[in-house]
Amino acid sequence: MDFFKDDTPDSWEKLRAECARCSACQLGATRRNLVFGVGNETADVMFIGEGPGEQEDIQGEPFVGPAGKLLDVMLELIDLDRTQVYIANIVKCRPPRNRDPLPDEQAACMGWLTRQIDLVQPKLLVFLGRIAAQVFIKPDFRITREHGQWFDVDGRRAMAIYHPSALLRDPSKRPETFVDLKSLQREIKNLYD
Ligand code: URA
């Protein structure tokens, strides 16, 4: 038996404290704040983005910049708000100049997200954008073709939608996202019927 092994069950306090001490990749050295996750810790629906941007890095909370404002509108369209869902990212520290998180950074950070999912026990997973979908659904996931389709991810229903940043850059994608959101709304309704 390992004398130093921590056998206590996982908890939000333990996870957050361990995550705050993480130096498993280079992003920890340049971040202002850890962006752990936010929302309902027993939510049925969990949204997973890519990584913090500038505002998230400053405020220590996911999706509080321009993309986050649009995410709030998207939630509202299907009668949800931040108190009803849990929101986290693949990486917890901001990649410099908002570049995509590198594969080794994603891999180094995944353990935290897996433990968050284990604690929340969501029934539905919604991936915001290609990066999260490629991690969880399949490495060659094509967001333009496969957004809005339902997949099985470790026994959970899961869907990817366009990242709100993509919808800010290209509003012509918004009608398709509306259709995907309505599909999510139906799926949520099915949970309670
Ligand atoms: N984009 C993300 O993927 N996550 C955030 O928290 C903010 C912007």
Side-chain angles (χ1 to χ4, degrees):
M1 184 188 145
D2 183 345
F3 183 78
F4 294 103
K5 194 158 171 275
D6 181 355
D7 287 328
T8 56
D10 219 354
S11 69
W12 285 105
E13 297 69 37
K14 182 176 159 187
L15 184 58
R16 193 183 274 276
E18 285 179 26
C19 191
R21 288 195 297 270
C22 179
S23 57
C25 82
Q26 58 194 344
L27 297 181
T30 52
R31 75 165 191 225
R32 273 179 271 208
N33 285 294
L34 173 79
V35 180
F36 179 74
V38 73
N40 185 327
E41 293 173 352
T42 58
D44 285 334
V45 189
M46 183 161 170
F47 286 80
I48 299 177
E50 188 179 307
E54 185 181 27
Q55 278 307 312
E56 291 76 21
D57 184 48
I58 292 170
Q59 299 184 43
E61 191 172 317
F63 286 97
V64 288
K69 301 278 170 289
L70 183 56
L71 179 60
D72 286 338
V73 172
M74 291 159 67
L75 292 175
E76 209 180 310
L77 283 172
I78 53 170
D79 300 323
L80 289 177
D81 62 38
R82 281 176 187 245
T83 66
Q84 295 166 290
V85 300
Y86 194 83
I87 306 173
N89 282 307
I90 298 282
V91 295
K92 309 284 189 249
C93 301
R94 183 192 182 197
R97 296 175 306 282
N98 295 348
R99 65 160 168 74
D100 288 350
L102 303 173
D104 65 316
E105 295 161 352
Q106 296 177 30
C109 216
M110 270 304 282
W112 306 120
L113 182 55
T114 312
R115 286 168 66 185
Q116 285 174 304
I117 295 172
D118 285 347
L119 285 171
V120 176
Q121 288 291 325
K123 298 195 171 61
L124 305 175
L125 294 171
V126 181
F127 307 117
L128 298 168
R130 170 184 61 88
I131 300 255
Q134 288 184 341
V135 168
F136 279 92
I137 299 175
K138 51 183 176 173
D140 61 350
F141 187 89
R142 297 281 304 271
I143 192 80
T144 45
R145 273 202 224 135
E146 295 173 290
H147 68 84
Q149 294 180 24
W150 287 98
F151 293 83
D152 181 286
V153 171
D154 294 332
R156 293 189 167 89
R157 303 271 288 158
M159 174 176 77
I161 63 176
Y162 281 116
H163 193 288
S165 300
L167 301 174
L168 288 173
R169 281 194 302 272
D170 181 2
S172 74
K173 293 184 164 75
R174 291 185 189 191
E176 294 169 77
T177 303
F178 184 68
V179 172
D180 298 346
L181 289 169
K182 292 310 260 185
S183 171
L184 171 61
Q185 189 177 35
R186 280 194 300 278
E187 203 67 26
I188 294 170
K189 189 169 174 295
N190 285 343
L191 296 176
Y192 310 116
D193 283 348

